Amino acid sequence: AQSVSQHNHHVILSEAASLELGCNYSYGGTVNLFWYVQYPGQHLQLLLKYFSGDPLVKGIKGFEAEFIKSKFSFNLRKPSVQWSDTAEYFCAVNAHTGTASKLTFGTGTRLQVTL
Amino acid sequence: GAVVSQHPSWVICKSGTSVKIECRSLDFQATTMFWYRQFPKQSLMLMATSNEGSKATYEQGVEKDKFLINHASLTLSTLTVTSAHPEDSSFYICSARDPYFDEQYFGPGTRLTVT
């Protein structure tokens, strides 16, 4: 079975600082990778996804993530965070096991951006 | 983007009663819907996969007789928590898979409190 690890549980940054959130997964086969964001009081929204092709994926709101297959990683980055980026971020993996859309989520990273 | 609604958004019930939560895909047909449970400050845990016109597939450790899932149409899945107990209090989130884009869209969640 696949698993997802997010090592940063709570990150506090000042506005304009750069962000990198770690995500590692455990699965030996082909995977689809996702980053979701959950703003306070709101539902999960897709930030970006990787299915195949260019391992550097650009998403909404200036976020990007890089898939490094050799490291089983899919870290999320943003060059300059804003206060409005304060939210919970979840990495998720969809392993190609036949139940193609069965997502496994990481434990989440709470990002707090201060002014 | 695609919209998934949940009703109710929050519910308080007494121990021993049953509660039904609805999940609807508003602008697309979803042959597959998913039910998750989210504990405070924790990740989403997949409870079951709901397939239109067939029985739901439950994850290990989830009691199918306690969490009844019905997926009667391509736009509606329901989760009924039967004989609820305080430990069932949680945030329940559904998602619907858009087969065209192979992407899951999440509902806003339902907060259940069992007294």
Side-chain angles (χ1 to χ4, degrees):
Chain A
Q2 63 268 25
S3 65
V4 181
S5 298
Q6 290 181 244
H7 306 295
N8 314 105
H9 298 295
H10 188 192
V11 174
I12 302 174
L13 293 173
S14 300
E15 263 203 332
S18 64
L19 169 73
E20 180 160 2
L21 301 182
C23 173
N24 288 89
Y25 67 93
S26 172
Y27 184 71
T30 303
V31 293
N32 296 335
L33 297 155
F34 305 81
W35 274 98
Y36 287 89
V37 60
Q38 188 174 31
Y39 297 103
Q42 297 189 27
H43 61 278
L44 278 168
Q45 300 173 41
L46 181 67
L47 269 181
L48 48 80
K49 62 184 179 182
Y50 172 79
F51 278 17
S52 64
D54 188 345
L56 183 61
V57 180
K58 294 193 182 298
I60 61 171
K61 304 185 180 185
F63 286 91
E64 66 178 30
E66 184 175 12
F67 171 50
I68 303 179
K69 189 175 181 179
S70 61
K71 295 184 178 180
F72 297 90
S73 69
F74 190 56
N75 293 354
L76 180 71
R77 299 193 293 249
K78 185 170 183 178
S80 176
V81 295
Q82 299 174 312
W83 178 80
S84 57
D85 294 324
T86 295
E88 189 91 20
Y89 292 81
F90 294 95
C91 180
V93 168
N94 170 5
H96 288 210
T97 62
T99 53
S101 291
K102 184 174 173 178
L103 288 175
T104 299
F105 283 85
T107 51
T109 298
R110 182 174 298 275
L111 172 65
Q112 184 177 350
V113 180
T114 60
L115 295 172
Chain B
V3 178
V4 175
S5 70
Q6 276 185 246
H7 178 80
S9 54
W10 59 272
V11 58
I12 301 173
C13 71
K14 292 185 177 180
S15 190
T17 61
S18 296
V19 174
K20 180 184 283 188
I21 303 170
E22 293 185 348
C23 176
R24 294 180 185 273
S25 57
L26 298 185
D27 48 6
F28 66 99
Q29 294 184 328
T31 54
T32 305
M33 291 184 174
F34 302 87
W35 287 96
Y36 297 85
R37 187 171 176 176
Q38 186 179 29
F39 292 98
K41 300 183 179 181
Q42 293 190 32
S43 185
L44 283 76
M45 299 297 295
L46 179 65
M47 299 174 64
T49 302
S50 168
N51 297 297
E52 187 268 338
S54 65
K55 291 183 178 180
T57 303
Y58 290 81
E59 295 300 300
Q60 192 172 11
V62 178
E63 299 176 60
K64 62 180 181 180
D65 294 330
K66 180 167 186 61
F67 298 99
L68 300 179
I69 291 173
N70 184 283
H71 194 154
S73 77
L74 288 172
T75 59
L76 172 64
S77 176
T78 60
L79 168 68
T80 301
V81 182
T82 62
S83 187
H85 289 105
E87 57 264 32
D88 298 325
S89 298
S90 191
F91 197 53
Y92 293 88
I93 301 173
C94 76
S95 70
R97 177 174 173 263
D98 185 334
Y100 186 78
F101 294 105
D102 195 16
E103 196 167 306
Q104 285 189 40
Y105 298 96
F106 287 81
T110 297
R111 184 163 302 285
L112 170 64
T113 301
V114 185
T115 60

